[in-house]
Amino acid sequence: MDLDVAYQIALDYLYSFVDYSLTRNLRNLPEKFNLERMRALMQRMGNPQQDYPVIHVAGTKGKGSTAAMIAGGLQAAGYRVGFYTSPHLIDFSERIQVNRQPITKASLVEIVEELKPHIAEIPELTTFELTTAVGFVYFARQQVDIAVVEVGLGGRLDATNIVTPLVSVITSISYDHTAVLGKTLAAIAGEKGGIIKPGRPLVIAPQTEEARQVLFNLAIERNAPITQVGKDIIFSAGSHTLTGQSFAVAVNRKPGSRLDLTIPLLGQHQIENAATAYAALLAARKEGLNIPKEAIQQGFAAVEWKGRFEILQTDPPVILDSAHNQDSARRLVETLQTYFPGQRVVLVFGVSEDKDIEGMFAELLPITDLLIATQSIHPRALEAGKLVEMAQSYGKPAIAVVPLEEAIRYALEKAAPDGLILVTGSLFVVAAAKQTWELITKRNR
C-alpha cells in the first residue's frame, strides 16, 4: 500500500475515536476523564513512558513555547529529545517529534497497527489518549534521552499525567475551558497542579496570587521543591527587533548568575516563558543532567514556534497569533503596540464557539479599525455572521467573509497603504491562514 494512503488510514482510525477537541458541548466532559484507560493501554505496551525521564509542562498559556525552548536547550546540550505537543498547526506528525523532527509516516502507521489489538480490549479510549500512546511508544523506540511532554487539557486527568516527571512545569494560568476545569482561577490551578508529583521538582511561571497559592500549597503537600519564576529566578528585558529580542535571567540573590539570552519569539510574555524554560533546565541540571549555559543560549536562539506573533510579511505587515482567551488577547495587543505603535489594524478573526469571545473582543476591538469575521472548517467554529453581531456594540466596521482565503484577500485590500493585518482567534484559524498565505504567495510568484 502507498505510504501516504496508509498514513491517512492510520489518522482516520485515530480520529474515529472520541475526540473531545472537536466536541461542541463540553459541559459533561469532566466525568469522561480518568487515567485508568491510559494506564491499562500503556501497561499492555510495556509502559514505554518509564524508559526515559520526562519534563512535564502544563499551563493555560505559553506551555507550547516554554516546552519548545526546554527541548531546544536540551538538544543543544547534546541530548536526544522527544517532544510531544498539541494540537498541531499544519500536520498531525508535528505532535510527536524527536530532535524537532516529526514522527515519520511509516513509524506512525506501524505503531498504530501494533496498538490496535490492545485498543480493542479497552473501552472508551479517546483520540488524545491514543495519540499520547503513540508518542510514548515512539520515544521509547527512538531511544530518546529525555522527553518534553506538553499537557493537552488541564493536568490532573490528562492522558499525559501517567508519567513520573524529572521536573514538572506550570506556565501562566488564566481562564480557559472553564466548563471542564472550573470557573475560578483556584479551581483551574488545582487541575493544572495535578501534574505535581511527590518529591519531584516543580517550576511555576509568574501567576495571579489566587493561582499561585493553590500551586504553592500543592507543592508543600506533596513535598515538591518549588522554583517560582519572578521570585527565585528573575528576568529583565533588553532590546527587541522584528526578528527577536534579548533579555537577562539570573538566580535571585546569587551574584554572578546572570545569563544573557536571545530568542526569535516576540513579546514580553515570551521572555516570561523563556525564563520559565530556563528555570526548568536549571531544575533538570540539579537532577543530574549536563546542561551548559552555552547550550541554553544556543537552544533558545534557535527555537521555532510558529503561529505565535508570527510575521508573514512586513509591507503591509501580516501577523498571525493564536491568542485564544482574554488574557492572551491582552498580551497580543501589548505586543502589537510595542512593535507596531499607532498602526491601523485590520483584524481577521475566527474562533471556536466555546471560547470567551466577549473577553477577546474587549481587548482586540478597541484597537481595531475593521473587523473581518471568518471561520475555519473546524466543527466548533462559530459562524462568522454571529461574530459580526457580537461586535456591533463596539461601533467598529465589521463584515463576515468566508472562506478564510477570501477574508485574507479582502484584508490585504483594506490594509493598504498604512494598515496591518492581524489574524487571530484560535490556532485552527491561524493554521488555516498560514496554509492560505502559502497558497496566495505561491500563485503570485
Side-chain angles (χ1 to χ4, degrees), residues 204-243:
I204 64 170
Q207 307 286 349
T208 63
E209 182 56 26
E210 183 180 356
R212 190 202 69 83
Q213 194 61 56
V214 170
L215 298 177
F216 193 78
N217 290 342
L218 285 171
I220 292 173
E221 179 186 304
R222 295 170 193 174
N223 196 31
I226 184 170
T227 299
Q228 300 180 71
V229 176
K231 179 181 178 184
D232 304 310
I233 299 295
I234 55 177
F235 57 94
S236 57
S239 61
H240 63 260
T241 69
L242 291 181
T243 58

Coordinates of all heavy atoms in Angstrom, one line a residue, residues 204-243:
I204 N 7.2 27.0 38.5 CA 6.0 27.7 38.1 C 6.3 29.1 37.6 O 7.2 29.8 38.1 CB 4.9 27.9 39.3 CG1 5.4 28.7 40.4 CG2 4.5 26.5 39.8 CD1 4.4 29.0 41.5
A205 N 5.6 29.5 36.5 CA 5.7 30.8 35.9 C 5.0 31.8 36.8 O 4.3 31.5 37.8 CB 5.1 30.8 34.5
P206 N 5.3 33.1 36.6 CA 4.5 34.1 37.4 C 3.0 33.9 37.3 O 2.5 33.7 36.2 CB 4.9 35.5 36.8 CG 6.3 35.2 36.2 CD 6.2 33.8 35.7
Q207 N 2.3 34.0 38.4 CA 0.9 33.7 38.5 C 0.1 34.8 39.2 O 0.7 35.5 40.0 CB 0.6 32.3 39.2 CG 1.4 31.1 38.7 CD 0.9 30.6 37.4 OE1 -0.2 31.0 36.9 NE2 1.6 29.7 36.8
T208 N -1.2 34.8 39.0 CA -2.0 35.6 39.9 C -1.9 35.0 41.3 O -1.6 33.8 41.5 CB -3.5 35.6 39.5 OG1 -4.0 34.2 39.6 CG2 -3.7 36.0 38.1
E209 N -2.1 35.8 42.3 CA -1.9 35.3 43.7 C -2.9 34.1 44.0 O -2.5 33.1 44.7 CB -2.1 36.4 44.7 CG -1.9 36.0 46.2 CD -0.5 35.3 46.4 OE1 0.4 35.6 45.7 OE2 -0.4 34.5 47.4
E210 N -4.1 34.2 43.4 CA -5.1 33.1 43.6 C -4.5 31.8 43.1 O -4.6 30.7 43.8 CB -6.4 33.5 42.9 CG -7.5 32.5 43.1 CD -8.8 32.9 42.4 OE1 -8.8 34.0 41.8 OE2 -9.7 32.1 42.4
A211 N -4.0 31.8 41.9 CA -3.5 30.5 41.3 C -2.2 30.1 42.0 O -2.0 28.9 42.3 CB -3.2 30.7 39.8
R212 N -1.3 31.1 42.3 CA 0.0 30.8 42.9 C -0.2 30.1 44.3 O 0.5 29.1 44.6 CB 0.8 32.1 43.1 CG 2.3 31.8 43.5 CD 2.9 33.0 44.2 NE 2.3 33.3 45.5 CZ 2.7 32.7 46.6 NH1 3.6 31.8 46.6 NH2 2.1 33.0 47.7
Q213 N -1.1 30.6 45.0 CA -1.3 30.0 46.4 C -1.7 28.5 46.3 O -1.3 27.7 47.1 CB -2.4 30.8 47.1 CG -2.4 30.5 48.6 CD -1.1 30.8 49.3 OE1 -0.6 31.9 49.3 NE2 -0.5 29.8 50.0
V214 N -2.6 28.2 45.3 CA -3.0 26.8 45.2 C -1.9 25.9 44.8 O -1.7 24.9 45.4 CB -4.2 26.7 44.1 CG1 -4.4 25.3 43.7 CG2 -5.4 27.4 44.5
L215 N -1.1 26.4 43.8 CA 0.1 25.6 43.4 C 1.1 25.5 44.5 O 1.7 24.4 44.7 CB 0.7 26.3 42.2 CG -0.1 26.4 40.9 CD1 0.6 27.1 39.8 CD2 -0.6 25.0 40.4
F216 N 1.3 26.5 45.2 CA 2.3 26.5 46.3 C 1.9 25.5 47.4 O 2.7 24.7 47.9 CB 2.4 27.9 46.9 CG 3.6 28.1 47.9 CD1 4.9 28.3 47.4 CD2 3.4 28.1 49.2 CE1 5.9 28.4 48.2 CE2 4.5 28.3 50.1 CZ 5.8 28.4 49.6
N217 N 0.6 25.5 47.7 CA 0.0 24.6 48.8 C 0.2 23.2 48.3 O 0.5 22.3 49.1 CB -1.4 24.9 49.1 CG -1.5 26.3 49.9 OD1 -0.5 26.8 50.4 ND2 -2.7 26.8 49.9
L218 N -0.1 22.9 47.0 CA 0.0 21.6 46.5 C 1.4 21.1 46.5 O 1.7 19.9 46.9 CB -0.5 21.5 45.1 CG -2.0 21.5 44.9 CD1 -2.4 21.7 43.4 CD2 -2.7 20.3 45.4
A219 N 2.4 22.0 46.2 CA 3.8 21.6 46.3 C 4.2 21.3 47.7 O 5.0 20.3 47.9 CB 4.6 22.8 45.8
I220 N 3.8 22.0 48.7 CA 4.1 21.7 50.1 C 3.5 20.4 50.5 O 4.2 19.6 51.1 CB 3.6 22.9 51.0 CG1 4.4 24.2 50.7 CG2 3.7 22.5 52.5 CD1 3.9 25.4 51.5
E221 N 2.2 20.2 50.1 CA 1.5 19.0 50.5 C 2.2 17.8 49.9 O 2.3 16.7 50.6 CB 0.1 19.1 49.9 CG -0.8 17.9 50.2 CD -2.1 18.1 49.4 OE1 -2.8 19.2 49.7 OE2 -2.5 17.3 48.6
R222 N 2.8 17.9 48.7 CA 3.5 16.8 48.0 C 5.0 16.8 48.2 O 5.7 16.0 47.5 CB 3.0 16.7 46.6 CG 1.5 16.5 46.4 CD 1.0 16.7 45.1 NE -0.5 16.7 45.1 CZ -1.3 17.0 44.1 NH1 -0.7 17.2 42.9 NH2 -2.6 17.0 44.2
N223 N 5.5 17.7 49.0 CA 6.9 17.7 49.3 C 7.7 17.9 48.0 O 8.7 17.3 47.8 CB 7.4 16.5 50.0 CG 8.7 16.6 50.7 OD1 9.1 17.7 51.0 ND2 9.5 15.5 50.8
A224 N 7.2 18.7 47.1 CA 7.8 19.0 45.8 C 8.6 20.3 45.9 O 8.0 21.4 46.1 CB 6.7 19.1 44.7
P225 N 9.9 20.3 45.8 CA 10.7 21.5 45.8 C 10.2 22.5 44.7 O 10.1 22.1 43.5 CB 12.1 21.0 45.5 CG 12.1 19.6 45.8 CD 10.7 19.1 45.5
I226 N 10.0 23.7 45.1 CA 9.3 24.6 44.1 C 10.3 25.8 43.8 O 10.9 26.4 44.6 CB 8.0 25.2 44.7 CG1 7.3 26.1 43.7 CG2 8.2 25.9 46.0 CD1 5.9 26.4 44.1
T227 N 10.3 26.1 42.5 CA 11.0 27.3 42.0 C 10.0 28.2 41.4 O 9.3 27.8 40.5 CB 12.1 26.9 40.9 OG1 13.0 26.0 41.5 CG2 12.8 28.2 40.4
Q228 N 9.9 29.5 41.9 CA 9.0 30.4 41.4 C 9.7 31.5 40.5 O 10.6 32.2 40.9 CB 8.3 31.1 42.5 CG 7.5 30.2 43.4 CD 6.8 30.9 44.6 OE1 5.9 31.7 44.4 NE2 7.3 30.8 45.8
V229 N 9.3 31.5 39.2 CA 9.9 32.5 38.3 C 9.3 33.8 38.7 O 8.1 34.0 38.9 CB 9.5 32.1 36.8 CG1 10.0 33.1 35.9 CG2 10.1 30.7 36.5
G230 N 10.2 34.8 38.7 CA 9.8 36.1 39.1 C 10.2 36.4 40.6 O 10.3 37.5 41.0
K231 N 10.5 35.3 41.3 CA 10.9 35.4 42.7 C 12.3 34.7 42.9 O 13.3 35.3 43.3 CB 9.9 34.8 43.6 CG 10.3 34.8 45.1 CD 9.2 34.1 46.0 CE 9.7 34.1 47.4 NZ 8.7 33.4 48.3
D232 N 12.3 33.4 42.6 CA 13.6 32.7 42.7 C 14.5 32.8 41.5 O 15.7 32.9 41.5 CB 13.3 31.2 42.9 CG 12.4 31.0 44.1 OD1 12.8 31.5 45.2 OD2 11.4 30.2 44.0
I233 N 13.8 32.9 40.3 CA 14.5 33.2 39.0 C 14.0 34.6 38.6 O 12.8 34.7 38.4 CB 14.3 32.1 38.0 CG1 14.8 30.8 38.4 CG2 14.9 32.5 36.6 CD1 16.3 30.7 38.6
I234 N 14.9 35.5 38.4 CA 14.4 36.9 38.0 C 14.9 37.1 36.5 O 15.8 36.5 36.0 CB 15.0 38.0 38.9 CG1 16.5 37.9 39.0 CG2 14.3 37.9 40.3 CD1 17.1 39.0 39.9
F235 N 14.2 38.0 35.9 CA 14.5 38.3 34.4 C 14.2 39.7 34.1 O 13.4 40.4 34.8 CB 13.7 37.3 33.5 CG 12.2 37.4 33.7 CD1 11.4 38.3 33.0 CD2 11.5 36.7 34.7 CE1 10.0 38.4 33.1 CE2 10.1 36.7 34.9 CZ 9.4 37.6 34.1
S236 N 14.9 40.2 33.1 CA 14.7 41.6 32.7 C 14.8 41.7 31.2 O 15.7 41.1 30.6 CB 15.6 42.5 33.4 OG 17.0 42.2 33.1
A237 N 14.0 42.5 30.5 CA 14.0 42.6 29.1 C 15.2 43.5 28.6 O 15.6 44.4 29.3 CB 12.7 43.2 28.6
G238 N 15.7 43.2 27.4 CA 16.7 44.0 26.8 C 16.1 44.7 25.6 O 15.1 45.3 25.6
S239 N 16.8 44.6 24.4 CA 16.4 45.2 23.2 C 15.5 44.2 22.4 O 15.5 43.0 22.6 CB 17.6 45.6 22.4 OG 18.4 44.5 22.0
H240 N 14.8 44.8 21.4 CA 14.0 43.9 20.6 C 13.9 44.5 19.1 O 14.0 45.7 18.9 CB 12.5 43.8 21.1 CG 11.8 45.1 21.2 ND1 11.6 45.8 22.4 CD2 11.1 45.8 20.2 CE1 10.9 46.9 22.1 NE2 10.6 46.9 20.8
T241 N 13.8 43.6 18.2 CA 13.5 44.0 16.8 C 12.4 43.1 16.3 O 11.9 42.3 17.0 CB 14.8 43.8 15.9 OG1 15.0 42.3 15.8 CG2 16.0 44.4 16.5
L242 N 12.1 43.2 15.0 CA 11.1 42.3 14.4 C 11.5 40.9 14.2 O 10.7 40.0 13.9 CB 10.6 42.9 13.1 CG 9.8 44.2 13.2 CD1 9.3 44.6 11.8 CD2 8.5 44.0 14.1
T243 N 12.8 40.6 14.5 CA 13.3 39.3 14.3 C 13.7 38.6 15.6 O 14.1 37.4 15.7 CB 14.6 39.3 13.4 OG1 15.6 40.1 14.0 CG2 14.2 39.7 12.0

